[in-house]
Amino acid sequence: MNKGVVFTIDALLALSIFIAASIGFYEFFSQTTTFSSSGANVYTHVDNYISAFDNSEELSKIYREYQINSTNALILFTQLMNETDYPTNAEFLVWNGTNFIKIMNVTNYNFDEKFLIRRYLVLSVTEGLGNKSGNITVRAPSSLPGRDILVGVNVHNPTSSQLNVTLRVEDKDGSNVGWNISPSNYLIVSDSNLSFNVTIPEDAVVDEYKVIANATGTGFSEEDYDNFNVIKYGMIVVEAHSR
């Protein structure tokens, strides 16, 4: 007896939607896709939308606002999701070092059928603080909250006097954040390569910061700086209607 597989019309339609959506996910087709399945259109559109806003740091800025004012952050997150052309639900999760923890969600719909999209995020805001160097060169790496970073400071001493070298960290508005820095200073009399240990607090806001080295001595005073980012890992989960 010959054996075969019988496909119903519903099964064929479901298979075509799955194939179209899968291709759309990996190839990132635009909204106007050659596929006739409306489900595939919704899937690729929402995926491209989240990708675009991920690149423009909108989600990172929303998380920064969440750390300052969670009510305002939810308003911004809701506005972001309401700008899609299709009904969507969304969750915003942040990695706490052990698990992804949901910090906010927008759930306006109850879908009978849906596509589920997950995208991992590096939450990082760029302020464009730039860097500066002269007789002092500063190098600071970006890192997660709750970590220590080693900041390198190269000092060229054009004088014969002793220089006192200190370090501080400022936020984007130019305010000293008061983080723990060790050692508190170096006393040098010649060109030196120095290292400062900077402790980023657990509650540090995801943002861009400026680390500033200052050297003072008889007839000499100069400061130079570098920027670095405090980052976190996150995930966006989006439900899109498949019909």
Side-chain angles (χ1 to χ4, degrees), residues 91 94 108 115:
E91 293 182 348
V94 174
N108 297 324
F115 290 115

Side-chain angles (χ1 to χ4, degrees), residues 61-62 65 71-81:
K61 291 177 181 177
I62 289 173
E65 183 63 28
T71 300
N72 285 347
L74 181 57
I75 293 172
L76 294 173
F77 188 49
T78 302
Q79 289 174 344
L80 182 69
M81 300 316 302

Side-chain angles (χ1 to χ4, degrees), residues 84-106:
T84 60
D85 295 334
Y86 300 95
T88 55
N89 297 324
E91 293 182 348
F92 200 147
L93 301 93
V94 174
W95 181 255
N96 68 355
T98 305
N99 301 295
F100 277 106
I101 305 299
K102 182 172 68 176
I103 60 170
M104 63 183 110
N105 66 285
V106 177

Side-chain angles (χ1 to χ4, degrees), residues 91-226:
E91 293 182 348
F92 200 147
L93 301 93
V94 174
W95 181 255
N96 68 355
T98 305
N99 301 295
F100 277 106
I101 305 299
K102 182 172 68 176
I103 60 170
M104 63 183 110
N105 66 285
V106 177
T107 308
N108 297 324
Y109 303 96
N110 184 20
F111 301 132
D112 53 346
E113 295 182 23
K114 61 190 177 185
F115 290 115
L116 187 65
I117 304 160
R118 291 186 177 93
R119 181 174 292 279
Y120 293 103
L121 308 169
V122 176
L123 301 169
S124 176
V125 178
T126 300
E127 302 289 355
L129 300 181
N131 55 60
K132 179 183 177 183
S133 64
N135 287 304
I136 310 172
T137 302
V138 186
R139 292 291 180 267
S142 297
S143 186
L144 298 163
R147 303 284 183 89
D148 288 355
I149 60 173
L150 200 62
V151 177
V153 179
N154 178 267
V155 182
H156 168 60
N157 185 358
T159 74
S160 58
S161 66
Q162 178 176 266
L163 299 182
N164 181 38
V165 184
T166 59
L167 195 77
R168 70 182 186 275
V169 178
E170 295 182 353
D171 62 19
K172 68 180 188 302
D173 298 319
S175 299
N176 193 327
V177 296
W179 297 350
N180 184 62
I181 299 173
S182 63
S184 59
N185 70 302
Y186 284 95
L187 296 176
I188 64 171
V189 293
S190 60
D191 294 355
S192 302
N193 293 315
L194 311 174
S195 294
F196 290 87
N197 187 83
V198 177
T199 300
I200 303 175
E202 288 282 358
D203 61 351
V205 174
V206 166
D207 211 339
E208 184 177 338
Y209 296 82
K210 183 186 291 185
V211 59
I212 303 170
N214 180 267
T216 58
T218 303
F220 182 85
S221 179
E222 185 171 331
E223 66 177 29
D224 294 284
Y225 57 86
D226 191 22

